[in-house]
Amino acid sequence: MSKPYKIITTTVDALKGDISLLDGEELKRYKRFISEVKKEEFLTARTFLKYALAKELNLEPKQISLSYSENGKPFLSKIYGDFHFNLSHSNGYIVLVTSQNEIGVDLEPISALDEEKLKWFLSTQELNEVKSIQDAAQRKLALFQLFTMKEAFIKATDKSFLLDTFTFWYIDGNWVLQIAGENNWHFDLKTIGNELVVAICFKKTLK
């Protein structure tokens, strides 16, 4: 069954930033970075984003102009049609997802992550679920899956849900979102080697 989204991945090493693609506000943001590494990361990611979106929309990269929500989430205005996207990058990888509906993606490196240090982000119920997993490797992977799924959901919904208004339950080895009201959100989880976890949060069109 085909997915209602498209995923495009690349590596920073495969790209070269093009400063001519930055508009006025993006150029100001670029210049505000003190770190040259952060500057390059921003420029590379924005170059990739505009080339990828242009290809999807049959436009030139310089024709792509981003708008921003009140929470700072970049999006394309309605002049581009019903087209949604989200971007995440980490450890030299960049992941872009596109869809006709709201969508979010999070990419995180698998490292030593302590659930106790995530108390501010995880609910008591989620912490208890993680702690109940006996196998250490499974517990570590489940924690990263939960973390990335929550981040992807927050990005997809543009922070419209407070952390205490939704939670995830660990059922038969899978995290299941619980929110009040209609829940048409779905998740896909992927791994890149043994290094990264990718979570995609998307909506399916109701028929």
Side-chain angles (χ1 to χ4, degrees):
M1 182 181 296
S2 62
K3 299 291 184 180
Y5 65 81
K6 183 174 182 178
I7 181 169
I8 307 167
T9 63
T10 189
T11 61
V12 172
D13 292 341
L15 299 169
K16 184 177 181 181
D18 184 353
I19 200 168
S20 71
L21 293 179
L22 301 183
D23 62 25
E25 288 302 313
E26 291 169 333
L27 192 57
K28 288 179 183 178
R29 183 178 173 187
Y30 170 78
K31 290 180 177 179
R32 282 199 297 267
F33 286 109
I34 297 174
S35 166
E36 290 298 322
V37 173
K38 292 295 183 183
K39 271 188 174 183
E40 192 59 33
E41 284 180 355
F42 173 78
L43 179 59
T44 301
R46 194 51 54 96
T47 299
F48 166 69
L49 175 62
K50 291 197 173 184
Y51 268 96
L53 293 180
K55 183 177 181 180
E56 294 299 306
L57 295 167
N58 294 315
L59 298 171
E60 293 297 321
K62 288 188 178 182
Q63 293 178 282
I64 300 297
S65 180
L66 302 178
S67 300
Y68 296 88
S69 71
E70 291 183 0
N71 291 320
K73 180 182 179 180
F75 68 94
L76 291 174
S77 69
K78 287 296 183 180
I79 64 172
Y80 296 96
D82 291 324
F83 192 89
H84 300 264
F85 72 90
N86 201 230
L87 183 80
S88 185
H89 54 90
S90 180
N91 281 31
Y93 289 90
I94 304 176
V95 176
L96 170 70
V97 288
T98 63
S99 177
Q100 292 184 332
N101 299 300
E102 295 92 341
I103 192 162
V105 64
D106 189 53
L107 170 68
E108 298 287 345
I110 300 175
S111 58
L113 194 61
D114 184 354
E115 58 261 28
E116 291 298 322
K117 294 179 180 179
L118 291 176
K119 281 185 175 180
W120 66 273
F121 189 66
L122 304 181
S123 69
T124 300
Q125 178 267 325
E126 289 167 343
L127 281 169
N128 289 336
E129 294 275 15
V130 171
K131 291 177 180 178
S132 70
I133 301 172
Q134 299 300 313
D135 181 79
Q138 183 183 357
R139 180 173 174 173
K140 179 180 179 180
L141 181 59
L143 178 61
F144 271 88
Q145 289 174 337
L146 172 61
F147 183 80
T148 53
M149 288 172 72
K150 290 194 78 167
E151 285 282 6
F153 176 70
I154 290 169
K155 293 174 71 178
T157 57
D158 194 18
K159 302 178 182 177
S160 57
F161 288 85
L162 299 177
L163 284 176
D164 61 356
T165 62
F166 69 95
T167 192
F168 285 82
W169 291 83
Y170 196 64
I171 302 173
D172 296 328
N174 297 295
W175 291 106
V176 179
L177 172 67
Q178 182 180 45
I179 55 174
E182 181 185 9
N183 180 7
N184 193 31
W185 294 104
H186 302 263
F187 295 86
D188 279 341
L189 286 163
K190 304 177 185 294
T191 56
I192 300 178
N194 295 317
E195 303 176 64
L196 300 159
V197 171
V198 180
I200 301 163
C201 175
F202 60 98
K203 265 189 173 180
K204 290 183 179 177
T205 303
L206 293 174
K207 297 187 178 180

